[in-house]
Structures are given as structure tokens and as C-alpha cells.
Amino acid sequence: MPFLSLARQVKVLRQELDEAVASVLEAGTFILGPRVEEFERRFADYCGVRHAVGVASGTDALELALRAAGVGPGDEVITAANTCIPTVAAIETAGATPVLADVDEETATIDPAALAGLVTERTRAVVPVHLYGQCADMDPILELAAERGLKVVEDAAQAHGAGYRGRPAGALGDAAAFSFYPTKNLGALGDAGAVVTNDSSVAERVRMLRAYGERSRYDSVAQGRNSRLDELQAAVLTAKLPHLDERNARRRELASLYTERLATTSLRLPAEAGGRRHAWHLYVVRSPRRDELRAELAAAGIGTAVHYFRAVHQHPAYAHLGTADLGRSERLAAEVLSLPLFPELTDDEAALVADTVARLAP
Ligand SMILES: *Cc1c(COP(=O)(O)O)cnc(C)c1O
């Protein structure tokens, strides 16, 4: 049982993908054309915001959203310590200094109280990460941001279709960054990302920054870069977007199946926090003997993954960022285990995974 099979997904959607690719080949436009514009319109609608701007990756989306929101050198940006490296890499390429906050034990998302304790006069923005497909506790974060004059840029790379108190992920802060890396809930056939926002000036700035800072062709008014979305990926994403809700619903069914069958085990199970709609990007259990369990599952033919083996400051490159108390993030890194969860996984396969896990971690 693989942890994930993208080949199965391609098989299910093959005809629509073939048509999307063929339409681009026939049109003969490959970068920032009508298909990018169409996807941007549709994805903005999906997120319930006014603007979406396609870029080359989720990491770029975060960097450009931060820069467009006014973040730059000398600024501090607070994010969760248990995120993946791209989140902090994007803060750094925006020119700012990442500051790591510990997370809430239950949801593995940034702890608003820990966050509040880290705000200084240099803090310019907060990047809550909607980890595993569940939104961070946004209301206290937005309240603090309003009080202290901070920008809020959501890292929604794992949260396509997630929600918080009736509002969609991506529509919660000043701007949000999505990734369409192939393994995400909405994935391209390569790298792709988008910034979504209700703020027209942020959208306009991202549009310039993704193309050499050009306001119009060969008229550069900001120091930008090349981070464009291409027509092929946009056509693929437009073809896949209408399937996102039904695919997320299937993820939810599989998550419920796991939760039912694992309820009596020794594992700590993921839960949907009050008022939140989980997009079930990952189904992450916790075990104090995670590494042994993982090896036993591998021996039984069941693939798993770990998101993530280390909190950010436990990586050699980021040791200097480990200044606050980040004990909960460290404990998560030692205990989390992601079980196979993708829409094409059958009920029988999920039952086999659950029963094997239950047998090995009674
Ligand atoms: C995938 C991911 C990113 C980076 O997206 P890329 O498209 O791979 O650059 C950033 N943050 C989180 C939480 C992610 O899961």
C-alpha cells in the first residue's frame, strides 16, 4: 500500500488532463495567457476572494504575498515552528527574519498565546500555517494583528477547501499563499502556486513582482523576479478544480473510517477543531514509538510519511531560530505519523491500513 499514488489520480482524470494539455498545444501560447487568467478567476471564486494571481510555486506565492503586503528587510515575521522549510525560506527571501512560535498541541497549528508573546516593535506580519488541511485558530490571530498593526498572510498550501467559522481558507487574512505541488489537494503536473487576496493593491503588486516588476512590458517599476504560472499548469488546474470538493469529501470519508477503526488504540488521533472544516490533506496520528511503528508498517507493506521529522529550528540551517520555548513542536516532530490518505484509496485498503495499525499499536 503506497503512502500516496499520483498515478491512480492521473488514471481517473486522464481524459480531462489530455484535453487540457491538447488545448494548450493547439493554442500555442505558453506563459501567462488566457488559461492562466481563467484559472485565476475560477480559483478566486472558489476561495471567495476578489483576486488570485498565479505564480511558479507555493514558496514563491508566500514570498511575493509578503513583499506585496509591505514586508521587507528589517522586519520580523512570526510563523509556526513545526512547519516545512518553504515557509521560512519564503520569509527569508522576502528579506525578513522568521520568528518561530510554538503550536497548539491539539491542532498542530500556531498557538495564538505563544504568538502574542513574540510580537516586538519589529514584527510586521504573521504567517499562520493551516497544517495538514486544518485552519489555524484565526480569530485571535486577526484580533492581535489588528491591535498591533500586523499583516496576516495565510500559508494555505495544505488547505484548499478548508474553512474557519464559515469562511474559506485563503479569505481569512490580508492575503494567502497556495501551492499546487502535485501532492496537494489541488495539484498541478509540476510546480505551481497562487496568491489570493481581497486587496487590489496586493494583487497588483504580486502581478508586477512575478514578472520582473513590470507594470507593462519592458517598464519595470519594482525589483521583481520571474515567477510565472504557465498555461499548461493553469489548464490542468482549471480541469481539476471542479473535482476538488468531491475529492475532499472522499478524503473526509477515509479520515472518518480511520478515526472509527483506530478509536480504541493507544494512538492520539487527529480531530476537527470546533468551527473548522478540515480539508484532510493528511491524516496524522501520534505515537511515542513512532519510528518503530513506522518500520513495522513498512514491513507489513504499508507506506507512511512524517510531516515533519524536525521542527524548523532542529534543522542545521535554522538552529539559530530556536530562541523561544518550542517544546510542543519538538514533541510533535518526534511523534507524528501520516497514514495513506488520497481520494483513490479504496475503503478496503483503508480498512486494511487501519486494522494493521490497530494490531501494531493496540
Ligand atoms: C507545499 C508547501 C509549501 C511550499 O509549496 P511549493 O509549491 O512546494 O513551493 C509551503 N508551505 C506548506 C505548509 C506546504 O505544505
Side-chain angles (χ1 to χ4, degrees):
M1 190 89 46
F3 170 67
L4 173 67
S5 169
L6 293 178
R8 285 196 207 178
Q9 185 193 129
V10 168
K11 211 162 168 185
V12 172
L13 300 173
R14 183 61 192 256
Q15 197 183 338
E16 285 166 82
L17 295 174
D18 278 342
E19 284 166 14
V21 171
S23 77
V24 175
L25 297 183
E26 273 151 34
T29 301
F30 300 106
I31 296 280
L32 295 183
R35 280 160 194 81
V36 169
E37 283 171 23
E38 182 183 1
F39 175 67
E40 289 176 339
R41 272 195 308 276
R42 286 176 194 251
F43 193 63
D45 282 350
Y46 182 83
C47 295
V49 296
R50 289 169 55 210
H51 309 280
V53 184
V55 296
S57 71
T59 311
D60 281 4
L62 196 51
E63 177 204 323
L64 299 183
L66 286 166
R67 287 181 61 186
V71 172
D75 294 336
E76 291 176 353
V77 176
I78 305 174
T79 193
N82 65 332
T83 188
C84 51
I85 293 303
T87 312
V88 287
I91 293 169
E92 289 191 324
T93 50
T97 303
V99 174
L100 301 178
D102 213 357
V103 293
D104 167 64
E105 189 86 49
E106 225 25 74
T107 63
T109 59
I110 196 164
D111 172 8
L115 162 60
L118 292 170
V119 175
T120 70
E121 66 283 357
R122 293 206 304 169
T123 309
R124 188 66 187 259
V126 182
V127 176
V129 180
H130 303 326
L131 200 71
Y132 308 150
Q134 174 146 261
C135 287
D137 191 7
M138 292 300 288
D139 279 348
I141 296 171
L142 293 167
E143 217 169 279
L144 175 77
E147 263 166 37
R148 305 295 300 260
L150 311 176
K151 297 290 181 183
V152 177
V153 178
E154 302 163 65
D155 182 340
Q158 302 188 357
H160 319 70
Y164 180 87
R165 298 191 175 156
R167 287 145 27 217
L172 302 167
D174 294 288
F178 283 91
S179 164
F180 306 115
Y181 184 76
T183 63
K184 310 287 178 173
N185 287 27
L186 178 62
L189 300 178
D191 276 311
V195 175
V196 304
T197 180
N198 276 315
D199 185 329
S200 317
S201 70
V202 167
E204 263 332 288
R205 260 190 88 68
V206 174
R207 272 181 210 289
M208 287 196 290
L209 293 173
R210 75 175 170 181
Y212 320 123
E214 290 177 347
R215 150 175 77 182
S216 59
R217 199 83 168 113
Y218 306 123
D219 178 21
S220 206
V221 295
Q223 288 168 317
R225 16 177 313 218
N226 171 1
S227 180
R228 300 175 299 217
L229 181 60
D230 62 73
E231 290 279 285
L232 216 42
Q233 300 307 343
V236 163
L237 290 166
T238 299
K240 287 173 84 171
L241 182 58
H243 298 290
L244 178 56
D245 284 343
E246 85 203 23
R247 296 173 63 78
N248 277 353
R250 175 63 186 154
R251 288 174 180 274
R252 172 176 293 275
E253 272 175 17
L254 292 163
S256 304
L257 185 152
Y258 279 154
T259 296
E260 254 168 55
R261 292 198 176 226
L262 297 174
T264 60
T265 63
S266 58
L267 300 171
R268 203 157 158 172
L269 305 180
E272 193 168 46
R276 286 177 241 190
R277 184 172 73 245
H278 204 310
W280 295 106
H281 175 58
L282 295 168
Y283 189 91
V284 179
V285 301
R286 287 178 62 179
S287 162
R289 47 181 293 279
R290 186 266 318 278
D291 293 333
E292 294 93 316
L293 176 59
R294 184 163 194 243
E296 290 160 10
L297 284 166
I302 292 172
T304 58
V306 174
H307 302 88
Y308 297 95
F309 282 106
R310 294 170 177 181
V312 171
H313 63 290
Q314 295 177 303
H315 290 266
Y318 296 99
H320 60 285
L321 298 181
T323 47
D325 174 11
L326 304 171
R328 281 169 282 171
S329 297
E330 290 168 10
R331 205 150 53 242
L332 280 165
E335 296 187 353
V336 290
L337 181 68
S338 306
L339 304 184
L341 180 73
F342 51 96
E344 297 77 21
L345 197 70
T346 67
D347 283 354
D348 285 350
E349 287 175 319
L352 176 65
V353 171
D355 294 347
T356 310
V357 172
R359 178 164 57 76
L360 295 171

